[in-house]
Amino acid sequence: PNSLWEVGLGGTVWDGMAYDPKLNLLYVGTGNAAPWARKLRSPSGGHNLFLASILAINPDTGRLVWHYQTTPAENWDYTAVQKLILADLEIAGEQRQVLMQAPKNGFFYVIDRATGELISAEPYTIVTWASHVDKATGKPVETRQAEYFDEPKLIFPGPAGGHDWQAMAHNRDTGLVYIPSYQLPAVFGMPETPFEYQPRGFNIGASYFFTVDGLWGLDGELAKQFPPMTQLAAGQPDYTAHGVLKAWDPVKQQVVWEVDTSGPWRGELFSSWNGGGLMTTASGLLVQGRGTGELALLDADTGKTLHSLNVGTSMMASPMTYRIDGEQYIAIMAGLGGAFGKDYPPGSAAYDYGNQGRIIAFKLGGGDVPRPAKRDLQASQQVPMPPPLPSTSDKEIALGGTLFQRHCAVCHANTSGGSIPDLRKMSSQTHGEFMDILLKGTRADKGMGNFSAVLNADQAQAIHRYVHDLAWKAYVESKQAPGSHKPDSKPAHD
């Protein structure tokens, strides 16, 4: 009764779904908690149904037939919305109709899709928040390392999980499930300031940073406030971030083979984003697009790379295959996005060639893949001089910075290599339209929503002043490069 109902509590459905026409059951996975920290969300305790759960629903009536909760009282952003695979497997001499999922929490689940009975749940990656899943109760057994309310803890997996949006694939001939997984732990802790609900904003109620360099990790302000990694990592597994393509045997409940897919980014955040979704064929191929721009074709039995094509576009979606007039094709919707798709690192195709999405199709005997023109990296670093604005104050700019971090920064990283517009490079026209964009939604058709429900005119103006200040600083920095004309002073305010 004293839970934070106004926050919504989480558990939304937004990705993994599957349908069994014989059983007439619709399966959906549900998301994580809001706020994350359960001591804030539901201090009285409880499992918090239906967070991080798999639901079987009668599609004719909408009635719940069964449910299985992967992470009771979810506390770490461990969604269970990842893709669901339906298959018939022989387990212990019995043919079983199963549902399989590798959610964020690090365990691979095999569930009877008719009844919801747990068949198996074993870790497919390093897991330290739980020791195992109790087969009798179906619930994970949490460890002391899982609790971060009183002191920061290094926890495996981090909030990105051991596997996220990129789709798994199942090959009926090899019997294996292929998982585009990664090892990306994080340090969790509690914010110093008391939790305050922000309507329509991010209400995490917890603090975290990844064990990588950069602002999302060890170079961020939060990491400087927490104990050093030598202390946090004492006695814990190696926390080096890397991507791993794993072949999992769902009957024997073990990894059969694995391939590192970090590319040149091992130890960096993007290592988890290089390996895209998977597709496997009856001929024993396993196909995966990567952030480097390579389409990799592997042997589904061994993981050996058989061929690789550089298409000049980063990929994270799953390939597909189809046949027309007896000829087989492979196609992929190429392009990079997602939570980490705001800042493309050097070496990625998105950085070198840009991130214009396209559909690329292949066949045996096909021609070379045309690559986009390379980006003009020098031009992409240039920042235009911002137009003059009415006078402001350091206090207003600071307020704008706080509001920007709360409402805007999750999308606008303001870097030169990302898919989201760099607001430091706004034109004079966009500066002039800034208030209408935020408060009237004049660019909603381009994905920039209307924020009038959470910002008033003074707050929107403060954000504009903050962005203008960022733009000016970036402009000055760009002009201080060797050979550049240095600006004399900041443009006068009206």
Side-chain angles (χ1 to χ4, degrees):
N2 61 342
S3 297
L4 291 176
W5 298 101
E6 66 272 21
V7 181
L9 303 183
T12 51
V13 177
W14 56 269
D15 192 2
M17 300 184 188
Y19 175 65
D20 185 331
K22 292 183 179 179
L23 295 175
N24 193 34
L25 289 177
L26 172 67
Y27 306 97
V28 301
T30 66
N32 60 300
W36 292 4
R38 59 190 176 213
K39 69 174 293 185
L40 299 176
R41 182 177 71 250
S42 297
S44 300
H47 290 164
N48 290 174
L49 291 176
F50 292 90
L51 298 176
S53 299
I54 299 169
L55 313 179
I57 298 168
N58 183 318
D60 297 325
T61 65
R63 294 288 183 180
L64 184 67
V65 177
W66 59 257
H67 77 273
Y68 179 84
Q69 189 171 34
T70 62
T71 313
E74 195 283 312
N75 205 41
W76 309 269
D77 193 19
Y78 290 161
T79 62
V81 300
Q82 288 65 38
K83 302 297 187 294
L84 305 163
I85 293 178
L86 309 185
D88 295 339
L89 302 179
E90 184 177 330
I91 300 175
E94 181 183 356
Q95 198 74 10
R96 303 292 296 268
Q97 299 172 301
V98 306
L99 175 151
M100 299 181 285
Q101 189 191 52
K104 276 188 182 182
N105 72 9
F107 291 96
F108 189 96
Y109 292 86
V110 180
I111 298 170
D112 187 302
R113 69 176 185 266
T115 66
E117 173 196 354
L118 175 65
I119 297 173
S120 64
E122 296 295 331
Y124 63 88
T125 187
I126 295 176
V127 175
T128 63
W129 70 275
S131 59
H132 65 286
V133 174
D134 187 326
K135 288 289 295 293
T137 64
K139 295 177 174 56
V141 179
E142 292 187 19
T143 65
R144 293 181 60 185
Q145 194 65 21
E147 179 62 80
Y148 58 84
F149 301 144
D150 297 324
E151 60 177 333
K153 295 284 183 63
L154 172 62
I155 300 176
F156 293 71
H163 166 235
D164 202 355
W165 305 331
Q166 297 94 327
M168 305 186 301
H170 173 236
N171 190 306
R172 287 177 292 182
D173 294 326
T174 66
L176 302 177
V177 176
Y178 306 97
I179 312 170
S181 70
Y182 32 83
Q183 180 177 308
L184 187 60
V187 175
F188 290 80
M190 295 298 291
E192 295 181 356
T193 56
F195 176 77
E196 181 181 351
Y197 173 51
Q198 304 295 333
R200 297 184 66 179
F202 276 77
N203 290 280
I204 292 177
S207 299
Y208 73 92
F209 65 88
F210 294 112
T211 56
V212 297
D213 293 336
L215 296 179
W216 287 70
L218 301 171
D219 298 320
E221 289 301 316
L222 184 61
K224 299 173 185 176
Q225 301 169 16
F226 280 15
M229 284 304 301
T230 51
Q231 177 181 332
L232 293 166
Q236 299 300 310
D238 178 11
Y239 60 79
T240 303
H242 59 280
V244 190
L245 167 55
K246 295 189 177 183
W248 178 267
D249 187 325
V251 177
K252 295 180 180 179
Q253 305 162 40
Q254 63 186 26
V255 173
V256 175
W257 56 257
E258 59 183 58
V259 174
D260 192 295
T261 56
S262 304
W265 302 289
R266 186 178 176 88
E268 300 178 26
L269 190 60
F270 200 75
S271 65
S272 65
W273 226 237
N274 188 42
L278 296 160
M279 190 255 317
T280 185
T281 71
S283 61
L285 287 179
L286 182 64
V287 189
Q288 181 182 47
R290 295 181 177 158
T292 55
E294 296 173 284
L295 185 77
L297 294 93
L298 297 86
D299 186 308
D301 281 308
T302 66
K304 178 183 177 182
T305 298
L306 303 174
H307 193 50
S308 178
L309 296 164
N310 192 323
V311 304
T313 302
S314 295
M315 293 165 281
M316 64 182 291
S318 298
M320 62 176 288
T321 187
Y322 55 95
R323 189 165 53 194
I324 299 176
D325 296 332
E327 186 159 28
Q328 186 179 10
Y329 298 82
I330 289 175
I332 186 166
M333 185 168 63
L336 195 65
F340 302 146
K342 299 175 295 185
D343 190 5
Y344 308 135
S348 67
Y351 182 89
D352 292 335
Y353 296 96
N355 192 39
Q356 184 66 39
R358 56 186 183 148
I359 295 176
I360 307 173
F362 309 84
K363 69 174 184 177
L364 290 178
D368 294 333
V369 179
R371 299 184 195 177
K374 283 210 167 187
R375 293 171 63 220
D376 186 339
L377 297 177
Q378 184 174 2
S380 71
Q381 303 292 333
Q382 297 301 311
V383 178
M385 177 185 281
L389 288 180
S391 60
T392 188
S393 65
D394 291 341
K395 183 178 180 180
E396 186 178 32
I397 291 174
L399 172 62
T402 300
L403 293 170
F404 185 91
Q405 292 302 316
R406 180 181 301 165
H407 297 291
C408 316
V410 69
C411 290
H412 289 282
N414 292 332
T415 58
S416 60
S419 60
I420 305 295
D422 182 349
L423 300 183
R424 301 172 304 171
K425 300 178 181 179
M426 289 192 298
S427 66
S428 295
Q429 178 181 344
T430 304
H431 275 285
E433 298 173 358
F434 192 91
M435 298 294 283
D436 286 347
I437 293 171
L438 257 65
L439 301 180
K440 294 183 180 180
T442 54
R443 296 197 180 180
D445 61 328
K446 301 181 184 299
M448 174 60 203
N450 186 330
F451 278 74
S452 60
V454 292
L455 295 172
N456 59 37
D458 289 341
Q459 291 171 324
Q461 177 176 285
I463 292 175
H464 191 195
R465 298 295 189 268
Y466 169 74
V467 170
H468 184 271
D469 189 63
L470 283 182
W472 174 252
K473 291 175 179 176
Y475 170 73
V476 171
E477 184 177 346
S478 71
K479 291 303 180 183
Q480 289 175 343
S484 299
H485 172 70
K486 296 177 176 57
D488 297 325
S489 62
K490 190 172 182 177
H493 292 295
D494 293 343

